[in-house]
Amino acid sequence: MRTWLYLTAEGLAAPSASWLCCVWTPTGERRCLSLHEAGRELNGRVVDVLLPMEMCSWVRSDPWPSRRRPRAQALAFAIEEQLSENLETLHISVGPRDRQQRYPMMVTQRARFQALLQLLGAQGIEVRAVYVDADLLCEDKALAVRWFGRWLLGGALSARVALSVRAMATLKSGLPEDIHWLDEERDRQGIDEWILSTNGHPIDLLQGEFRRRRQSLPWRSTAVAAFGLLLLTWVFGEVRVRFIEGETRRLYVQSEQRFRALYPAQERIVDLAAQFQALHKHRGTRQETQVARLVRLTERVIGASDVEVQRIDYREGEGWKIQLTASSFIELEQLRERGLQNGLPLILGSASKQDNRVQTTLTLENG
């Protein structure tokens, strides 16, 4: 069993070092104390933090058509209508796709979550993962669990909610008949162990800008010594080959000057020999190939989609760039899938949503 730190709902109103929390050690013992006391108790031990559901909201996307996992930005825009706040002020964490091909997401205030992590760091608490209590309920059945004086709804239910005892009494009649009820007053230790076993797929909130950075390796001093030996070896080797490298650079500079004199349009030189051969052998056929790929793209991919093309540009070394608008992010994902099916790997640039249309830049790189 891992070491858990649970921040109870009582401290949400005024987060501080006196926040009432609970610590579970690997032996399963529960200890309730303040956050400051917990920091001294943990003594630098890495912990999994558990937040109350009252701090977050849980939403799900519509069934996603693509097999590939979408970017977090696309999922955020997909649930924008379910949220009452600006996306820029929110931190959205994405969970694994469920059986209905929908992505669950946990949403919280970005500034509030950042302040929470800073508060934990100020107490010397090292965080490995951050979960939400209602999201730890096992997903194979609908569950209502009384924990820390309030009710948690979750599991197979299409919701993750925390309710007071009075609110539960009001809403109880509307819950499914097959829901399973668990009460901490009957078996507190058993419910603690069951919840903290994380049998389901809870969402870790340490994603995106809050992703946990890897620890430095403990054998740093050994690595420094090894690096010193390698540095000395390199210095001796450098002395031996300096003359050869000097002659190589001189010949290369001469060759480059002659190449630029013959082909002044070639401003960038990456591989001198390869560029010289390409200019003689494939100069004409390459342009024809790029035009053919654009025709195949417009006929088989873009032509089969309900998108509007505003502009098409071609840049040497970058490929075709098509500015277009679509009705939704799902349509853009379908466009990329259709491109892969036709052997045309597409790259979607950063998308922006204006009114009911999504605008982006589609890139077909040189084949």
Side-chain angles (χ1 to χ4, degrees), residues 223-291:
V224 171
F227 178 77
L229 292 175
L230 291 174
L231 181 61
L232 289 175
T233 304
W234 176 81
V235 169
F236 285 114
E238 183 70 14
V239 173
R240 295 176 59 188
V241 302
R242 180 169 296 179
F243 174 77
I244 298 176
E245 288 186 347
E247 288 297 305
T248 303
R249 285 195 296 268
R250 184 178 62 82
L251 293 174
Y252 183 83
V253 170
Q254 291 179 356
S255 301
E256 184 177 319
Q257 290 175 349
R258 293 175 181 175
F259 181 84
R260 292 185 184 278
L262 291 173
Y263 304 101
Q266 296 290 317
E267 298 179 355
R268 183 183 179 190
I269 299 177
V270 179
D271 187 334
L272 188 60
Q275 287 179 242
F276 185 82
Q277 293 177 1
L279 287 171
H280 283 271
K281 294 183 179 180
H282 306 293
R283 192 168 185 177
T285 58
R286 184 180 178 184
Q287 188 66 25
E288 294 177 359
T289 301
Q290 296 304 327
V291 174

Side-chain angles (χ1 to χ4, degrees), residues 65-362:
S66 174
R67 294 181 181 179
R68 288 182 174 82
R69 183 182 177 91
R71 292 180 297 176
Q73 181 190 20
L75 288 170
F77 279 114
I79 63 168
E80 184 177 11
E81 295 181 356
Q82 303 182 47
L83 306 175
S84 58
E85 300 180 61
N86 189 342
L87 291 177
E88 298 297 328
T89 65
L90 300 176
H91 172 54
I92 302 177
S93 306
V94 184
R97 193 197 311 238
D98 59 20
R99 297 177 181 177
Q100 290 79 36
Q101 308 303 313
R102 305 169 73 176
Y103 284 94
M105 282 163 273
M106 200 66 70
V107 182
T108 187
Q109 284 282 343
R110 176 181 279 107
R112 191 180 190 186
F113 186 61
Q114 186 175 23
L116 171 66
L117 295 179
Q118 292 175 351
L119 177 61
L120 293 172
Q123 309 307 313
I125 298 173
E126 186 175 352
V127 181
R128 174 171 49 194
V130 179
Y131 301 104
V132 180
D133 52 9
D135 199 34
L136 293 187
L137 303 185
C138 188
E139 299 174 353
D140 60 350
K141 61 185 71 174
L143 292 166
V145 182
R146 187 174 182 179
W147 207 44
F148 283 86
R150 77 246 206 277
W151 287 95
L152 301 178
L153 298 180
L157 292 173
S158 59
R160 302 284 187 270
V161 183
L163 299 173
S164 65
V165 175
R166 179 178 298 179
M168 174 59 78
T170 304
L171 299 176
K172 186 175 181 180
S173 60
L175 296 176
E177 296 181 357
D178 60 346
I179 192 170
H180 291 73
W181 299 86
L182 298 173
D183 197 330
E184 64 178 347
E185 293 184 353
R186 299 179 182 178
D187 184 11
R188 189 189 72 178
Q189 184 175 359
I191 292 179
D192 284 356
E193 295 177 356
W194 178 74
I195 290 179
L196 300 179
S197 63
T198 61
N199 293 320
H201 300 88
I203 300 173
D204 184 2
L205 272 62
L206 294 186
Q207 299 183 19
E209 62 182 295
F210 299 108
R211 186 181 300 276
R212 183 170 181 251
R213 293 176 174 84
R214 293 184 177 181
Q215 297 290 330
S216 58
L217 297 175
W219 35 268
R220 180 180 298 175
S221 58
T222 305
V224 171
F227 178 77
L229 292 175
L230 291 174
L231 181 61
L232 289 175
T233 304
W234 176 81
V235 169
F236 285 114
E238 183 70 14
V239 173
R240 295 176 59 188
V241 302
R242 180 169 296 179
F243 174 77
I244 298 176
E245 288 186 347
E247 288 297 305
T248 303
R249 285 195 296 268
R250 184 178 62 82
L251 293 174
Y252 183 83
V253 170
Q254 291 179 356
S255 301
E256 184 177 319
Q257 290 175 349
R258 293 175 181 175
F259 181 84
R260 292 185 184 278
L262 291 173
Y263 304 101
Q266 296 290 317
E267 298 179 355
R268 183 183 179 190
I269 299 177
V270 179
D271 187 334
L272 188 60
Q275 287 179 242
F276 185 82
Q277 293 177 1
L279 287 171
H280 283 271
K281 294 183 179 180
H282 306 293
R283 192 168 185 177
T285 58
R286 184 180 178 184
Q287 188 66 25
E288 294 177 359
T289 301
Q290 296 304 327
V291 174
R293 295 178 78 235
L294 176 63
V295 172
R296 187 150 54 102
L297 173 66
T298 55
E299 291 180 350
R300 301 184 183 181
V301 180
I302 298 179
S305 304
D306 185 18
V307 298
E308 298 177 4
V309 178
Q310 274 78 41
R311 183 173 179 178
I312 299 178
D313 294 318
Y314 178 81
R315 297 180 182 177
E316 185 72 23
E318 296 181 8
W320 293 103
K321 292 185 178 293
I322 301 99
Q323 295 183 6
L324 52 80
T325 59
S327 60
S328 66
F329 283 93
I330 293 179
E331 190 173 39
L332 293 179
E333 290 289 338
Q334 292 173 343
L335 189 69
R336 183 162 57 180
E337 287 288 328
R338 192 177 298 111
L340 291 176
Q341 293 172 3
N342 286 275
L344 298 170
L346 304 175
I347 298 176
L348 293 177
S350 299
S352 60
K353 190 173 184 182
Q354 298 180 355
D355 298 330
N356 295 325
R357 304 289 292 179
V358 179
Q359 184 174 2
T360 188
T361 299
L362 186 72

Side-chain angles (χ1 to χ4, degrees), residues 30-85:
R30 178 204 279 193
R31 295 197 59 191
C32 294
L33 61 175
S34 69
L35 182 59
H36 178 67
E37 294 170 337
R40 292 188 299 178
E41 178 85 8
L42 294 169
N43 193 25
R45 193 184 315 163
V46 180
V47 300
D48 293 311
V49 174
L50 190 59
L51 301 180
M53 188 65 215
E54 289 85 344
M55 186 175 174
C56 305
S57 299
W58 184 84
V59 295
R60 285 194 302 174
S61 69
D62 292 330
W64 204 262
S66 174
R67 294 181 181 179
R68 288 182 174 82
R69 183 182 177 91
R71 292 180 297 176
Q73 181 190 20
L75 288 170
F77 279 114
I79 63 168
E80 184 177 11
E81 295 181 356
Q82 303 182 47
L83 306 175
S84 58
E85 300 180 61

